[in-house]
């Protein structure tokens, strides 16, 4: 959620130390690192992602056929999950690389490649050791300004070009990736008239059946992500990270069906921090503008986190 800082570090450092925030919900004794997650546990089965009502709804709104898009995405993601299931059963380890606000600028891809190359040796270690390796992007994938100022004033973030490039980059790490939408990922204002149309493209380009995701990465260990679905239709500021009701209902079921009393550990990834998390925020920017916490403008929903 944190916007680009005025003094820019190298892209490699910005990638290794995410500017966006991942929240963690796990049983006591769990561990979290902002750049890499690693867990030792017992062998178990892989869960495959399932399609949700929110995706079916967005498909219907813009006239898309659930069978032509959603089913294809579900098959592709199921394939990724299935390909890891045997490794999960045979090992007690996993590794996840976490990327914050990339704000990809196609004019500066050399910087992003440098940052990626710093990840690759570590990811390869995980692949060689156990194979249970994935990447998670916390959103804000594109530069929120024109990347061709001499030709157009159109913002790059949220466009089809942006998400195609982001998908190509995230796929270049050589392991499956997941992504949650940030406050700039539906910002394709010149290209799309509605949030629904922009969201549909975003899901399509990243082969996502829904704005949220769930991946079992190890025995009784889940990676769960919740993504923003509103920009134009925001109640107050467009840069509030809004988790819709369908995702919340889905998330609550995940918690009920995977209780910590049964040994489940759940890592939760979002672009903005949940209220009450204690994570530091920009008082003069996000708090003042009402876009600091998840569902900031709705007191009841905000406090629920």
């Amino acid at each position: 959620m944190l916007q680009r800082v005025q003094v820019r570090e190298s892209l490699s450092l910005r990638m290794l130390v995410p500017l966006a925030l991942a929240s963690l919900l796990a049983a006591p004794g769990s561990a979290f690192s902002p750049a890499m997650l690693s867990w030792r546990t017992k062998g178990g089965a892989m869960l495959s992602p399932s399609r949700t009502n929110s995706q079916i709804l967005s498909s219907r709104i813009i006239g898309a056929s659930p069978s032509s898009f959603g089913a294809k995405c579900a098959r592709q993601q199921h394939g990724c999950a299935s390909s890891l299931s045997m490794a999960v059963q045979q090992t007690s380890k996993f590794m996840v690389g976490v990327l914050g606000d990339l704000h990809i600028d196609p004019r500066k891809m050399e910087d992003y490649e440098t940052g990626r190359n710093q990840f690759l040796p570590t990811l390869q270690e995980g692949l060689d050791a156990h194979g249970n390796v994935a990447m998670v992007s916390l959103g804000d994938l594109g530069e929120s300004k024109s990347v061709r100022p001499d030709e157009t004033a159109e913002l790059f973030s949220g466009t089809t070009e942006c998400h195609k490039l982001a998908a190509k980059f995230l796929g270049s790490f050589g392991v499956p990736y997941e992504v949650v939408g940030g406050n700039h990922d539906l910002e394709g204002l010149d290209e799309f008239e509605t949030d629904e149309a922009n969201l549909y493209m975003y899901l399509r380009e990243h082969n996502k059946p829904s704005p949220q995701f769930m991946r079992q990465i190890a025995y009784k260990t889940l990676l769960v992500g919740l993504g923003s679905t509103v920009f134009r239709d925001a109640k107050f500021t467009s840069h509030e990270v809004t988790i819709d009701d369908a995702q919340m209902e889905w998330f609550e079921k995940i918690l009920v069906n995977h209780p910590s009393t049964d040994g489940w550990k759940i890592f939760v990834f979002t672009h903005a921090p949940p209220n009450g998390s204690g994570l530091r925020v920009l008082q003069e920017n996000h708090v003042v503008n009402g876009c600091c916490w998840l569902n900031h403008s709705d007191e009841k929903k905000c406090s629920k986190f």
Side-chain angles (χ1 to χ4, degrees):
M1 176 88 187
L2 300 184
Q3 297 182 0
R4 297 176 303 287
V5 293
Q6 294 297 318
V7 179
R8 294 197 175 200
E9 307 89 357
S10 67
L11 262 294
S12 59
L13 177 61
R14 289 171 62 207
M15 292 171 62
L16 289 168
V17 184
L19 297 178
L21 300 168
S23 58
L24 168 65
L25 174 63
S30 63
F32 175 74
S33 168
M36 287 287 176
L37 301 174
S38 185
W39 199 278
R40 180 178 293 276
T41 182
K42 300 179 181 179
M46 170 68 70
L47 295 181
S48 61
S50 61
R51 198 150 175 262
T52 65
N53 290 334
S54 62
Q55 168 56 28
I56 295 173
L57 175 62
S58 64
S59 296
R60 287 176 178 170
I61 287 174
I62 61 175
S65 166
S67 60
S68 65
F69 167 61
K72 176 183 177 182
C73 291
R75 287 195 301 271
Q76 289 171 329
Q77 284 210 350
H78 179 76
C80 290
S82 298
S83 67
L84 293 178
S85 60
M86 187 62 66
V88 169
Q89 292 173 0
Q90 295 176 348
T91 186
S92 61
K93 300 177 181 180
F94 75 90
M95 180 184 293
V96 180
V98 182
L99 297 172
D101 302 42
L102 290 175
H103 286 297
I104 290 176
D105 187 327
R107 300 167 296 181
K108 303 175 181 178
M109 291 310 297
E110 183 177 349
D111 294 336
Y112 293 92
E113 292 166 2
T114 297
R116 179 198 58 201
N117 291 341
Q118 293 183 12
F119 271 88
L120 295 182
T122 303
L123 296 177
Q124 189 60 51
E125 290 177 8
L127 289 171
D128 293 341
H130 47 71
N132 297 334
V133 183
M135 298 293 296
V136 176
S137 168
L138 303 180
D140 276 9
L141 298 175
E143 182 64 275
S144 184
K145 62 183 179 183
S146 174
V147 296
R148 292 184 293 274
D150 294 337
E151 302 174 16
T152 178
E154 180 184 20
L155 303 179
F156 184 67
S157 56
T159 63
T160 300
E161 180 185 4
C162 166
H163 285 295
K164 283 184 178 293
L165 180 59
K168 180 179 180 180
F169 176 72
L170 292 171
S172 71
F173 286 79
V175 298
Y177 78 88
E178 305 284 0
V179 60
V180 294
N183 54 299
H184 288 286
D185 292 313
L186 301 181
E187 204 171 24
L189 299 175
D190 293 339
E191 183 178 356
F192 301 99
E193 293 185 0
T194 66
D195 287 339
E196 288 82 5
N198 211 157
L199 178 63
Y200 175 81
M201 177 277 296
Y202 158 79
L203 295 175
R204 181 193 69 214
E205 294 303 328
H206 296 285
N207 290 326
K208 289 175 62 64
S210 64
Q212 67 267 31
F213 72 80
M214 178 178 68
R215 174 180 291 271
Q216 182 166 351
I217 197 72
Y219 175 70
K220 288 193 172 182
T221 306
L222 299 178
L223 309 180
V224 174
L226 302 170
S228 190
T229 56
V230 175
F231 189 82
R232 298 155 187 80
D233 297 333
K235 184 177 180 181
F236 292 111
T237 172
S238 294
H239 291 287
E240 178 181 358
V241 177
T242 302
I243 307 302
D244 58 49
D245 292 341
Q247 288 187 80
M248 285 304 302
E249 181 181 356
W250 173 86
F251 179 55
E252 290 174 355
K253 289 180 180 177
I254 295 297
L255 298 181
V256 170
N257 293 331
H258 303 86
S260 60
T261 52
D262 286 349
W264 285 96
K265 304 172 185 67
I266 305 177
F267 293 88
V268 183
F269 299 88
T270 61
H271 185 68
N275 190 11
S277 64
L279 296 176
R280 296 185 65 183
V281 296
L282 297 181
Q283 301 288 332
E284 69 280 6
N285 186 354
H286 298 129
V287 173
V288 172
N289 293 322
C291 59
C292 175
W293 297 289
L294 297 176
N295 294 8
H296 191 146
S297 65
D298 190 311
E299 183 176 355
K300 183 177 181 181
K301 292 181 180 179
C302 184
S303 62
K304 190 170 186 177
F305 288 105

